[in-house]
């Protein structure tokens, strides 16, 4: 019997958002976790804020680490496994970086030797503190930390792809030293797949770490261009899952849909449950899917200021822990996947994508690869992707179950052609 796809949620505390680490209340955390466990989910992803945990390069606060362990233990008591993001980093439009990397102490996050020493020590410390906890899945290096490395960030820490390679190797090694054998990975927002000048590359995403993580947000131009009920909008997450496989060296490398959400007003509240059902159904039709982790657990309190408006209402549960229709939709999907696990058939038709990362914008919304993928999908195919450099490699294609390779020119005979939706 195939392993069931994991279903979880990114944990956003109902009291104080991620600032709850400043006034940590274990009883409030337990109540939040009770409301998550009641949905029938099996894991959470949690976010210690880096400057709160490591306010000085030589000070990793023992009390903060202890509170993280308490949270993981409380989750385990409720049957929830836990993935821990380390370098927070960036969350919900806010940056959280320690003072020893900014302004008068400005040092590059990816290349400065002292910063790298501090980061590695911090990740190793968190991993080691949790290594013996049976419900600890492993570490994610940070949340969408690639957004610090280039445009559109207002003050980027520039690095080359080679420097990012070295950074990833060192940070993942630190996690492995702290907690050997756990599921350690890294995760970026979709500029990794879509921006030609992003130093975090698709190959890095698909080859470093225990599995590939993708973050799917349709406010990237997909919903604006195609509409809320279109094939590209409802299957954007599935597209990223299949796009990632073009660069993977392991033909069955697991892929984690680590973030996906229903952002208003592009996805209105009354349509969020239907969007979730369609998104999850499409993702479950992707072979080698490890899990789906929704963003996010609880709404942000309106008493907190300055968030983009969409951030306040992304929760499966309200700020007072009441489940919404979207929570019930995800709960049904999780239960069905657990009770009736199925392995999707291989996707036998592959669309070629450029191996050159300087051409990856062709894969972005509006690009010919993106539009061709969804033309195929709308026409009833179940496409995957393959690098153009592997398109004639019979052994590679056979290992992935691919029997047909097509190009975007073959799918879209006219420039700027788009999918039917």
């Amino acid at each position: 019997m195939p392993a069931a796809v994991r279903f979880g949620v990114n944990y956003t505390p109902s009291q104080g958002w991620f600032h709850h680490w400043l006034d940590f209340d274990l009883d409030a955390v337990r109540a939040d976790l009770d409301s998550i466990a009641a949905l029938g989910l099996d894991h959470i992803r949690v976010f210690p804020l880096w400057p709160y945990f490591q306010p000085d390069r030589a000070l990793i606060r023992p009390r903060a680490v202890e509170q993280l362990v308490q949270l993981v233990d409380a989750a385990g008591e409720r049957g929830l496994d836990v993935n821990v993001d380390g370098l927070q980093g960036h969350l919900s439009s806010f940056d959280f970086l320690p003072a020893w990397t900014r302004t008068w102490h400005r040092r590059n996050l990816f290349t400065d030797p002292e910063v790298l020493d501090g980061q590695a020590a911090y990740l190793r410390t968190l991993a080691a503190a949790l290594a013996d906890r049976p419900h600890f899945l492993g570490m994610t290096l940070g949340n969408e930390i690639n957004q610090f490395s280039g445009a559109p960030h207002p003050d980027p820490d520039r690095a080359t792809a080679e420097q990012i390679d070295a950074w990833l190797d060192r940070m993942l090694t630190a996690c492995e030293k702290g907690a050997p054998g756990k599921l350690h990975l890294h995760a970026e927002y979709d500029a990794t797949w879509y921006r030609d000048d992003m130093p975090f590359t698709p190959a890095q995403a698909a080859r470093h770490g225990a599995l590939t993580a993708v973050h799917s947000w349709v406010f990237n131009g997909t919903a604006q261009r195609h509409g809320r009920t279109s094939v590209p909008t409802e299957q954007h997450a599935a597209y990223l899952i299949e796009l990632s496989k073009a660069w993977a060296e392991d033909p069955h490398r697991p892929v984690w849909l680590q973030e996906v959400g229903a952002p208003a007003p592009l996805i209105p509240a009354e349509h969020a449950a239907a969007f979730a059902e369609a998104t999850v159904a499409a993702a479950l039709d992707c072979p080698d899917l490890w899990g789906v982790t929704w963003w996010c657990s609880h709404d942000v309190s309106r008493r907190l200021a300055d968030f983009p408006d969409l951030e306040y209402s992304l929760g499966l549960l309200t700020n007072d822990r009441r489940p919404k229709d979207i929570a019930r939709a995800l709960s049904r999907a999780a239960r069905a996947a657990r009770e009736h696990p199925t392995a999707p058939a291989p996707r036998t038709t592959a669309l070629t994508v450029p191996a050159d990362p300087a051409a990856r914008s062709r894969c972005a919304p509006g690009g010919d690869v993106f539009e061709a993928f969804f033309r195929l999908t709308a026409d009833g195919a179940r496409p995957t992707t393959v690098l153009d450099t592997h398109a004639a490699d019979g052994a590679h294609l056979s290992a992935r179950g691919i029997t047909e390779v097509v190009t975007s020119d073959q799918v879209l005979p006219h420039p700027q052609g788009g999918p039917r939706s």
Side-chain angles (χ1 to χ4, degrees):
M1 180 179 293
V5 171
R6 306 293 300 267
F7 275 82
V9 68
N10 293 275
Y11 173 42
T12 46
S14 65
Q15 294 186 16
W17 191 64
F18 296 109
H19 303 301
H20 82 138
W21 296 110
L22 295 171
D23 301 289
F24 189 75
D25 182 341
L26 187 56
D27 288 337
V29 168
R30 287 170 172 152
D32 286 346
L33 296 176
D34 284 338
S35 65
I36 292 170
L39 299 177
L41 305 180
D42 61 47
H43 70 275
I44 59 174
R45 177 173 168 233
V46 302
F47 304 86
L49 292 189
W50 184 16
Y52 298 172
F53 277 63
Q54 192 183 24
D56 182 273
R57 185 163 54 89
L59 173 61
I60 301 168
R61 294 178 50 243
R63 179 60 177 151
V65 176
E66 178 185 338
Q67 290 167 342
L68 175 62
V69 173
Q70 290 175 342
L71 189 157
V72 172
D73 286 345
E77 291 166 1
R78 288 151 179 82
L80 296 167
D81 290 338
V82 184
N83 172 262
V84 176
D85 268 45
L87 300 167
Q88 295 332 310
H90 179 83
L91 290 164
S92 302
S93 84
F94 290 97
D95 289 348
F96 295 94
L97 297 174
W100 46 272
T101 68
R102 302 291 93 182
T103 61
W104 300 106
H105 297 267
R106 184 71 167 83
R107 290 180 282 191
N108 191 289
L109 296 175
F110 305 109
T111 62
D112 183 274
E114 291 186 336
V115 173
L116 268 58
D117 287 346
Q119 292 172 333
Y122 173 59
L123 291 169
R124 185 174 61 250
T125 297
L126 294 189
L130 297 165
D132 65 347
R133 263 47 186 190
H135 289 276
F136 172 53
L137 290 170
M139 299 290 298
T140 299
L141 297 188
N143 183 55
E144 301 184 350
I145 199 164
N146 62 318
Q147 65 95 29
F148 290 111
S149 67
H153 195 276
D155 182 24
D157 291 62
R158 300 289 184 183
T160 66
E162 293 74 20
Q163 289 169 326
I164 297 300
D165 265 325
W167 183 84
L168 288 169
D169 282 339
R170 180 163 184 193
M171 297 307 136
L172 288 166
T173 297
C175 294
E176 180 65 19
K177 286 181 177 178
K182 296 291 187 177
L183 200 71
H184 303 306
L185 66 147
H186 66 106
E188 283 76 49
Y189 86 105
D190 62 19
T192 286
W193 310 102
Y194 293 161
R195 283 191 67 97
D196 293 339
D197 59 350
M198 171 57 60
F200 282 78
T201 67
Q204 292 164 351
R207 299 171 190 174
H208 288 271
L211 44 68
T212 301
V214 296
H215 291 191
S216 174
W217 289 101
V218 297
F219 54 54
N220 63 357
T222 300
Q224 294 94 325
R225 181 181 179 89
H226 294 283
R228 65 174 174 81
T229 59
S230 67
V231 171
T233 298
E234 294 186 336
Q235 300 206 31
H236 181 261
Y239 170 65
L240 281 178
I241 293 167
E242 292 303 322
L243 181 63
S244 78
K245 296 175 182 178
W247 283 272
E249 294 173 328
D250 176 355
H252 297 291
R253 178 174 167 89
V255 183
W256 181 1
L257 179 54
Q258 194 185 48
E259 272 191 33
V260 59
L266 293 170
I267 309 297
E270 63 272 17
H271 187 70
F275 170 80
E277 289 172 346
T279 295
V280 169
L284 290 175
D285 192 40
C286 297
D288 304 307
L289 177 68
W290 181 88
V292 177
T293 310
W294 203 261
W295 188 280
C296 54
S297 65
H298 298 80
D299 284 347
V300 178
S301 171
R302 289 280 177 180
R303 288 179 290 182
L304 295 176
D306 300 322
F307 287 83
D309 193 62
L310 70 90
E311 299 286 351
Y312 289 99
S313 58
L314 289 169
L316 297 176
L317 303 115
T318 63
N319 192 241
D320 57 359
R321 307 189 181 103
R322 290 180 291 107
K324 305 178 189 177
D325 288 344
I326 189 173
R328 287 181 274 272
L330 197 68
S331 180
R332 289 191 297 269
R335 183 172 61 253
R338 183 171 57 250
E339 294 176 354
H340 306 287
T342 58
R347 292 186 172 223
T348 57
T349 298
L351 178 67
T352 61
V353 302
D356 182 0
R360 75 191 105 163
S361 58
R362 291 178 55 197
C363 302
D368 64 291
V369 171
F370 183 99
E371 303 298 341
F373 186 96
F374 288 111
R375 171 65 62 84
L376 288 167
T377 302
D379 285 346
R382 297 173 57 249
T384 187
T385 62
V386 64
L387 295 185
D388 51 15
T389 52
H390 288 158
D393 183 341
H396 177 86
L397 300 178
S398 177
R400 294 185 54 197
I402 295 169
T403 59
E404 178 187 25
V405 176
V406 297
T407 67
S408 59
D409 286 343
Q410 293 172 308
V411 178
L412 300 175
H414 303 293
Q416 304 303 314
R420 291 189 292 272
S421 58

